[in-house]
Amino acid sequence: MNRNPRERSNSERRQELHSEEESFRLQQEEGRLESGKRRSTFAWIINSIYLLVGMLEILLMLRFFLRFSGANTQNTFAQFIYNLSDPFIAPFSTLLISPVAGGGANIFDVNILIAIIVYALLGWLSLRMVTFLYGR
């Protein structure tokens, strides 16, 4: 049998199909890796927001508890908490007048409670925004 040189043999066709199949699998694997990196970055951003908002909420709750219980303002720990939380409470500090009990020592600071709620809402909104923009 005399073959036409332009015709390919079965083995050549198999090799060509095999190489196409390998390149397709490689593209799929690269897509999976890229998707995994994207999910990992997304999870890191979400966890960072949770961590930062959670630490801020704890700091503000400590400040509220210290003010409500009438903690000594000369105490080093109380000063540390007050100084650390001052920048976050500043926008709310003159919003409402807080009721005072116990001769001025115990202060139910409503402004701190409002700050806690506002920062929790801002954290929730930032999570929703990141999920909307990046989570697809």
Side-chain angles (χ1 to χ4, degrees):
M1 289 183 134
N2 201 359
R3 288 191 165 183
N4 186 353
R6 292 185 183 173
E7 284 185 23
R8 293 183 291 180
S9 67
N10 285 337
S11 64
E12 290 173 343
R13 287 186 203 142
R14 282 188 207 136
Q15 283 179 339
E16 186 178 309
L17 288 175
H18 183 67
S19 67
E20 288 176 6
E21 187 178 304
E22 284 296 318
S23 71
F24 178 71
R25 286 182 184 169
L26 183 62
Q27 287 174 350
Q28 282 183 325
E29 189 63 30
E30 287 173 350
R32 278 189 227 123
L33 285 173
E34 186 63 34
S35 177
K37 286 180 187 176
R38 185 175 171 90
R39 279 194 304 268
S40 174
T41 304
F42 175 70
W44 184 85
I45 291 170
I46 294 294
N47 289 336
S48 297
I49 291 171
Y50 275 124
L51 178 69
L52 293 174
V53 172
M55 288 182 355
L56 179 60
E57 294 289 317
I58 290 170
L59 178 67
L60 293 177
M61 284 186 238
L62 277 171
R63 181 184 177 111
F64 176 78
F65 177 73
L66 289 174
R67 297 222 358 144
F68 184 68
S69 63
N72 180 8
T73 56
Q74 301 303 315
N75 181 281
T76 307
F77 178 73
Q79 286 178 350
F80 173 73
I81 295 297
Y82 290 150
N83 290 336
L84 196 59
S85 61
D86 273 342
F88 301 106
I89 203 71
F92 308 97
S93 63
T94 58
L95 188 61
L96 299 171
I97 298 173
S98 298
V100 177
N106 299 8
I107 301 170
F108 187 82
D109 200 346
V110 180
N111 298 325
I112 297 174
L113 294 177
I114 292 172
I116 289 171
I117 293 169
V118 167
Y119 286 123
L121 285 173
L122 287 175
W124 180 79
L125 284 173
S126 64
L127 286 171
R128 292 294 132 215
M129 185 178 69
V130 167
T131 302
F132 177 73
L133 295 175
Y134 200 75
R136 294 180 182 193

